[in-house]
Amino acid sequence: QAPIKATCEDLSCKTGFPEDVHSAVVSRSVHGGQPLLNVRFRSCDGNKKIHFGSSEPEDFRVGEDGVVYAERSFQLSAEPTEFVVSAQDKETQEEWQMRVKLTPEPGFTGASEQDQKKIEDIVFPWQQHKHSSPLKRQKRDWVIPPINLPENSRGPFPQELVRIRSDRDKSLSLRYSVTGPGADQPPTGIFIINPISGQLSVTKPLDREQIASFHLRAHAVDVNGNQVENPIDIVINVIDMNDNRPEFLHQVWNGTVPEGSKPGTYVMTVTAIDADDPNAQNGMLRYRILSQAPSSPSPNMFTINNETGDIITVAAGLDREKVQQYTLIIQATDMEGNPTYGLSNTATAVITVTDVNDNPPEFTAMTFYGEVPENRVDVIVANLTVTDKDQPHTPAWNALYRMTGGDPTGRFTILTDPNSNDGLVTVVKPIDFETNRMFVLTVAAENQVPLAKGIQHPPQSTATVSITVIDVNESPYFVPNPKLIRQEEGLLAGSMLTTFTAQDPDRYMQQTSLRYSKLSDPANWLKIDPVNGQITTTAVLDRESIYVQNNMYNATFLASDNGIPPMSGTGTLQIYLLDINDNAPQVNPKEATTCETLQPNAINITAVDPDIDPNAGPFAFELPDTPASIKRNWTIVRISGDHAQLSLRIRFLEAGIYDVPIVITDSGNPHASSTSVLKVKVCQCDINGDCTDVDRIVGAGLGTGAIIAILLCIIILLILVLMFVVWMKRRDKERQAKQLLIDPEDDVRDNILKYDEEGGGEEDQDYDLSQLQQPDTVEPDAIKPVGIRRLDERPIHAEPQYPVRSAAPHPGDIGDFINEGLKAADNDPTAPPYDSLLVFDYEGSGSTAGSLSSLNSSSSGGEQDYDYLNDWGPRFKKLADMYGGGDD
């Protein structure tokens, strides 16, 4: 619609509003948030902080910049609307007021051709021009009220909106233009302006849901493009029309509500949106329930808040066991639910009634029976079945079982089968038939969650379980197990050690006596009597045996009965062996090295005794009296209970290997001693005490076997090297022989080499290769007569005696063979000139196989007739042309 015009008169500088009454013309339809006019407040010092207010705050509000906005959407009455705008100093609380009068614009833009002609003018504000000498009043800036344009207008287009003009168009030729989105910016071309008249028009229908408002700027320039007026802002608001139906965010809404809920219980919220203006009636939605299925126990079990879409219960009686789900059809209507003018849409709300624990589990029988063999664990002995009307596989349906009596020792437990909800009575501790033959358990069943308020457990939630124990043949057991005895080592074979017997727990079964046998005896020292269990030794007990660990020897025995089925039990006998002094100490190490001089020459040795204290150290070390050279050359000194030091007594001892006997005595009672031989290697040493006579030490340190092994390795290595050299020389000779002599198998002069077989005809296959390979073997009468000899054959003369090459000449005879052939060729009167090809090996005269080539070139003889080639077909046409075509 046409914008309003606002005018104000300048006053002299006085703090306050410049006028008492401010009049403005606005469109009849006012929308919330729409700027209407701009009021000016003059502050002479410019430091005041002013707060603006309105006497009608529900309809109008004033911004801090003095712009008056519509607070809501409404229609102006035909009479002017008045209200008061106040300004208050925040510091001094001084207040000023101005009355505003709004007059509605008569008619509607585009209503008729007559109204279209009444297009309001928007005049650029007056301003002082730099080049004009007299001072002109500059009109105060104002806010141009927005142009309201309905969406989806039917035209005709272009539709004129306003006319932009400047007061200076009387003296100058001006050009008008608009810029901004919708004009020269995307989306372009929606608004156009006549550059001469300044007429602003819209070219097509607008859609508020795409763009709700356009902000344009109008410009006025002269013909040279110079700016004549400051640009003014034009706001075009697109007025909403009810052209969109409400749309639910989901077509199907799912919600839950517990059964037994009281009226007023919140269930769910459904939401619809409308693309129209939400602040206008076109976008204000209202909800209602169209139908409910099923309609039991009441057709109105739910209601919906018509503004928020909240669904709540309004009636009692929700019972999941009767109705598990409700389906509601929800309708959303715009225009605040007006059924006549509003657009509507529907969606489905599915409400599931969730289960609560309002049904306790009940046993299907008052007594359950089961049986279990004795000594069995993890065995299910009884199945307890219950019924529960609540929803399966929910906490209100899942059953928990507990025993309230009959099992003081905790031998049973009850597990719940997750699929069937049955109680599985299981044995967790062994049961002895000889002690307990029957159990009577009291069992109670309940759910994972407590029952709903007001519901009690019935007697059917308790039952009894009678379990019978079955007697079975049990294994015998040794007493005690393991059995520990202490025994000195060295006990002779055949000695009685102990008696190890077992007991049979089956007191109510008729069985014979037990039989004993040996199960494990690592050293094979023991045997057991099969009847009375008496254990005797079969070998001497030795504490130092590898089978004894920490003085303990373990043997396992077996006791078996003759029950059905036969059973057996094992027992372990542990023998703690006490040490006796049955081992003499030995020297360690067995070999040592020292220098041949007195300093440094000390050797540290250690005494080793398999026995333990008190039959071990401290040890006594001494040298024997014989031979006399031992004490003359060596001396020994004990440095601790287990260690001694051997050193030279003389100043110099020749290098070599010496056996030094040492007598070592332990501390046992009686004492045990032995003479150990220490092999000492005496060598030359440097100042640091290290051996320098390495060769002698190495020779001395190697035994006869090691030396023989080294010599054998050296001989084998030399033989391998010699064989390799011989093989290399022989291969070189063979390579040289191949270069001078062609192998008969590779001689191309008397062999046909097969490079490829093309698969010739039958006539090509009828030949005898032996005629080509060995022509000399053919009978003399088979040779062709002289008259028909080929031109390229050797003439018949007395043949010289060329040396005949053997089938496989030795490589060493090649030189002699060549020399002999050269001499024979030089003495041959029938030989061709020296510059011709010489034949060193003649393989016979003539060829019984005939010529391999019946075609000669033109230079080999022109007396032959090749016309027959024309009869051989097109494949031989080229040869016929070359040889049978005459001289040309």
Side-chain angles (χ1 to χ4, degrees):
Q1 293 185 358
I4 59 94
K5 292 187 296 183
T7 59
C8 294
E9 297 292 337
D10 289 343
L11 300 176
S12 60
C13 183
K14 179 181 178 182
T15 301
F17 291 103
E19 52 191 356
D20 295 332
V21 178
H22 188 93
S23 299
V25 179
V26 298
S27 60
R28 185 176 299 273
S29 296
V30 178
H31 300 276
Q34 174 182 342
L36 301 178
L37 69 154
N38 188 8
V39 295
R40 292 294 184 181
F41 182 86
R42 179 176 297 172
S43 176
C44 294
D45 54 8
N47 296 325
K48 293 182 180 296
K49 296 181 180 180
I50 304 301
H51 173 71
F52 294 99
S54 171
S55 61
E56 302 292 339
E58 66 278 2
D59 294 332
F60 307 98
R61 68 178 175 86
V62 186
E64 295 296 332
D65 54 356
V67 179
V68 180
Y69 298 92
E71 191 69 16
R72 63 183 182 88
S73 299
F74 57 90
Q75 297 284 337
L76 292 177
S77 62
E79 299 296 330
T81 300
E82 296 184 4
F83 62 95
V84 176
V85 176
S86 61
Q88 185 179 23
D89 191 335
K90 294 182 179 180
E91 296 179 357
T92 63
Q93 302 300 319
E94 185 178 0
E95 186 176 3
W96 298 268
Q97 293 183 348
M98 179 182 67
R99 189 161 52 89
V100 177
K101 180 186 295 186
L102 298 180
T103 303
E105 177 79 14
F108 183 78
T109 302
S112 63
E113 294 182 1
Q114 183 178 359
D115 293 336
Q116 290 181 5
K117 295 179 180 179
K118 297 179 180 179
I119 303 300
E120 294 293 338
D121 293 346
I122 297 180
V123 183
F124 284 90
W126 298 345
Q127 58 182 349
Q128 180 179 351
H129 301 284
K130 293 186 293 184
H131 303 293
S132 57
S133 55
L135 294 177
K136 295 184 180 180
R137 286 192 304 116
Q138 180 177 354
K139 197 171 185 180
R140 218 166 21 90
D141 292 340
W142 65 76
V143 175
I144 304 299
I147 301 173
N148 296 323
L149 187 62
E151 66 173 334
N152 303 325
S153 175
R154 297 184 179 180
F157 295 102
Q159 177 181 344
E160 297 180 351
L161 301 180
V162 294
R163 181 178 294 108
I164 309 298
R165 72 179 186 85
S166 172
D167 291 342
R168 303 189 63 187
D169 60 357
K170 300 177 181 179
S171 58
L172 296 174
S173 177
L174 302 182
R175 296 293 183 268
Y176 300 97
S177 63
V178 290
T179 59
D184 62 340
Q185 300 177 18
T188 59
I190 297 179
F191 299 97
I192 59 175
I193 189 171
N194 189 313
I196 304 300
S197 64
Q199 180 65 50
L200 180 64
S201 304
V202 61
T203 61
K204 60 181 180 180
L206 305 180
D207 188 355
R208 191 205 67 85
E209 285 70 41
Q210 294 183 359
I211 302 177
S213 63
F214 297 87
H215 296 265
L216 306 178
R217 174 163 288 194
H219 306 268
V221 297
D222 58 16
V223 293
N224 296 323
N226 298 320
Q227 180 177 316
V228 176
E229 303 283 1
N230 289 331
I232 60 174
D233 294 328
I234 301 175
V235 178
I236 301 175
N237 290 328
V238 183
I239 306 302
D240 184 42
M241 305 294 289
N242 191 18
D243 56 346
N244 292 279
R245 290 181 178 275
E247 295 290 341
F248 283 91
L249 297 181
H250 305 285
Q251 194 59 35
V252 178
W253 297 78
N254 294 292
T256 60
V257 60
E259 62 176 330
S261 297
K262 297 179 179 180
T265 303
Y266 171 80
V267 180
M268 60 190 299
T269 300
V270 297
T271 304
I273 58 175
D274 196 318
D276 293 326
D277 188 358
N279 298 318
Q281 289 185 343
N282 298 336
M284 295 181 180
L285 307 181
R286 296 295 182 264
Y287 302 92
R288 70 189 185 101
I289 298 176
L290 296 182
S291 64
Q292 169 192 310
S295 59
S296 62
S298 171
N300 298 314
M301 295 295 294
F302 305 93
T303 187
I304 187 170
N305 187 307
N306 64 347
E307 293 185 1
T308 62
D310 295 341
I311 299 177
I312 60 176
T313 61
V314 293
L318 291 174
D319 189 353
R320 190 203 64 85
E321 286 72 33
K322 295 181 180 179
V323 179
Q324 299 183 1
Q325 191 177 85
Y326 290 91
T327 301
L328 308 181
I329 304 300
I330 310 299
Q331 183 186 59
T333 307
D334 57 15
M335 296 296 292
E336 296 183 306
N338 190 317
T340 305
Y341 302 104
L343 303 177
S344 61
N345 212 336
T346 60
T348 302
V350 178
I351 301 175
T352 301
V353 181
T354 58
D355 187 34
V356 297
N357 194 13
D358 56 348
N359 295 280
E362 298 180 359
F363 284 101
T364 58
M366 297 302 297
T367 304
F368 296 88
Y369 299 92
E371 59 182 20
V372 57
E374 64 174 332
N375 300 323
R376 296 283 299 275
V377 294
D378 297 330
V379 177
I380 299 175
V381 298
N383 276 25
L384 311 181
T385 56
V386 295
T387 59
D388 195 319
K389 297 179 181 179
D390 292 322
Q391 184 176 359
H393 306 292
T394 62
W397 179 82
N398 296 333
L400 298 177
Y401 300 89
R402 58 185 179 90
M403 283 179 290
T404 59
D407 185 24
T409 57
R411 297 183 182 275
F412 301 92
T413 188
I414 304 179
L415 305 177
T416 302
D417 189 326
N419 296 321
S420 63
N421 212 27
D422 293 346
L424 308 178
V425 182
T426 308
V427 182
V428 293
K429 293 182 180 180
I431 302 174
D432 188 7
F433 173 81
E434 286 71 24
T435 304
N436 301 98
R437 299 187 181 185
M438 178 173 288
F439 291 88
V440 178
L441 310 178
T442 303
V443 181
E446 56 189 19
N447 295 121
Q448 290 182 350
V449 295
L451 289 173
K453 293 182 179 180
I455 299 177
Q456 302 296 329
H457 282 91
Q460 291 81 1
S461 296
T462 304
T464 58
V465 183
S466 178
I467 300 175
T468 302
V469 182
I470 302 174
D471 189 17
V472 297
N473 186 24
E474 299 178 78
S475 300
Y477 59 93
F478 285 86
V479 180
N481 190 17
K483 183 176 183 178
L484 175 64
I485 63 173
R486 302 172 67 87
Q487 177 65 47
E488 281 190 354
E489 65 173 329
L491 184 65
L492 299 179
S495 303
M496 201 280 289
L497 191 61
T498 185
T499 300
F500 196 22
T501 59
Q503 298 179 6
D504 193 340
D506 297 313
R507 299 192 301 269
Y508 301 100
M509 289 186 176
Q510 299 297 327
Q511 299 180 136
T512 60
S513 60
L514 302 177
R515 304 287 294 182
Y516 301 95
S517 61
K518 186 172 64 174
L519 185 63
S520 173
D521 182 12
N524 199 22
W525 287 343
L526 309 173
K527 70 175 181 178
I528 187 170
D529 188 279
V531 177
N532 56 24
Q534 190 177 70
I535 299 176
T536 57
T537 61
T538 59
V540 178
L541 304 184
D542 186 8
R543 191 198 66 84
E544 289 75 31
S545 172
I546 60 174
Y547 302 105
V548 178
Q549 301 294 331
N550 298 324
N551 303 326
M552 192 74 69
Y553 180 76
N554 295 321
T556 306
F557 298 92
L558 186 69
S560 305
D561 62 18
N562 60 346
I564 301 175
M567 300 298 293
S568 61
T570 61
T572 301
L573 178 65
Q574 295 181 334
I575 306 174
Y576 187 86
L577 294 175
L578 304 176
D579 186 40
I580 63 175
N581 194 13
D582 57 345
N583 293 280
Q586 299 292 328
V587 69
N588 184 50
K590 298 294 183 180
E591 297 181 357
T593 302
T594 187
C595 299
E596 58 185 7
T597 59
L598 188 61
Q599 295 293 337
N601 63 349
I603 301 173
N604 293 324
I605 61 176
T606 303
V608 179
D609 194 334
D611 295 326
I612 60 176
D613 189 67
N615 298 320
F619 300 96
F621 300 87
E622 60 180 346
L623 298 176
D625 295 332
T626 57
S629 60
I630 298 300
K631 285 190 174 182
R632 183 175 64 249
N633 297 337
W634 306 91
T635 181
I636 189 169
V637 178
R638 192 180 76 170
I639 57 178
S640 67
D642 297 338
H643 304 283
Q645 197 172 69
L646 178 69
S647 59
L648 287 175
R649 180 184 292 274
I650 59 179
R651 294 181 177 274
F652 176 82
L653 183 63
E654 184 179 358
I657 300 176
Y658 297 88
D659 292 335
V660 181
I662 300 174
V663 179
I664 305 177
T665 306
D666 61 19
S667 299
N669 188 15
H671 300 298
S673 64
S674 67
T675 301
S676 300
V677 177
L678 176 65
K679 187 179 292 295
V680 180
K681 300 176 182 178
V682 180
C683 63
Q684 297 179 0
C685 299
D686 55 14
I687 59 176
N688 298 323
D690 298 328
C691 287
T692 58
D693 193 1
V694 178
D695 295 337
R696 296 178 58 186
I697 295 301
V698 171
L702 295 177
T704 304
I707 295 176
I708 294 176
I710 293 175
L711 292 176
L712 288 176
C713 292
I714 294 175
I715 293 173
I716 292 174
L717 182 61
L718 292 176
I719 292 175
L720 292 176
V721 172
L722 182 61
M723 293 176 63
F724 179 75
V725 172
V726 172
W727 176 76
M728 289 294 294
K729 289 185 176 180
R730 185 170 182 178
R731 191 181 67 170
D732 292 341
K733 291 181 179 181
E734 291 178 354
R735 184 184 296 117
Q736 295 175 0
K738 288 181 180 180
Q739 293 176 356
L740 298 175
L741 179 65
I742 299 177
D743 191 28
E745 296 181 358
D746 297 333
D747 193 350
V748 298
R749 292 176 295 175
D750 56 358
N751 285 280
I752 295 178
L753 298 182
K754 178 180 177 183
Y755 292 100
D756 192 8
E757 186 173 61
E758 301 292 341
E762 296 179 355
E763 297 179 357
D764 295 339
Q765 304 296 329
D766 190 11
Y767 50 79
D768 186 5
L769 292 179
S770 62
Q771 302 299 322
L772 299 176
Q773 295 177 346
Q774 298 178 352
D776 292 337
T777 60
V778 183
E779 295 297 333
D781 54 359
I783 301 176
K784 294 187 295 183
V786 179
I788 59 173
R789 184 177 297 273
R790 299 197 318 265
L791 297 178
D792 55 348
E793 290 181 335
R794 186 181 183 89
I796 300 177
H797 297 286
E799 299 180 358
Q801 298 298 321
Y802 285 88
V804 180
R805 185 179 65 181
S806 62
H810 191 276
D813 299 334
I814 293 177
D816 297 338
F817 172 77
I818 294 176
N819 292 329
E820 293 177 1
L822 180 60
K823 293 179 181 179
D826 293 340
N827 298 326
D828 185 9
T830 63
Y834 71 93
D835 56 351
S836 299
L837 179 64
L838 299 181
V839 179
F840 290 94
D841 188 9
Y842 188 69
E843 297 187 355
S845 59
S847 174
T848 58
S851 175
L852 296 179
S853 176
S854 60
L855 299 177
N856 294 328
S857 64
S858 58
S859 61
S860 63
E863 69 279 359
Q864 298 190 28
D865 185 11
Y866 298 100
D867 292 338
Y868 61 88
L869 292 176
N870 294 319
D871 302 332
W872 287 9
R875 295 188 178 183
F876 295 89
K877 185 177 184 303
K878 186 65 176 177
L879 292 176
D881 295 341
M882 294 174 59
Y883 294 94
D887 296 339
D888 54 350

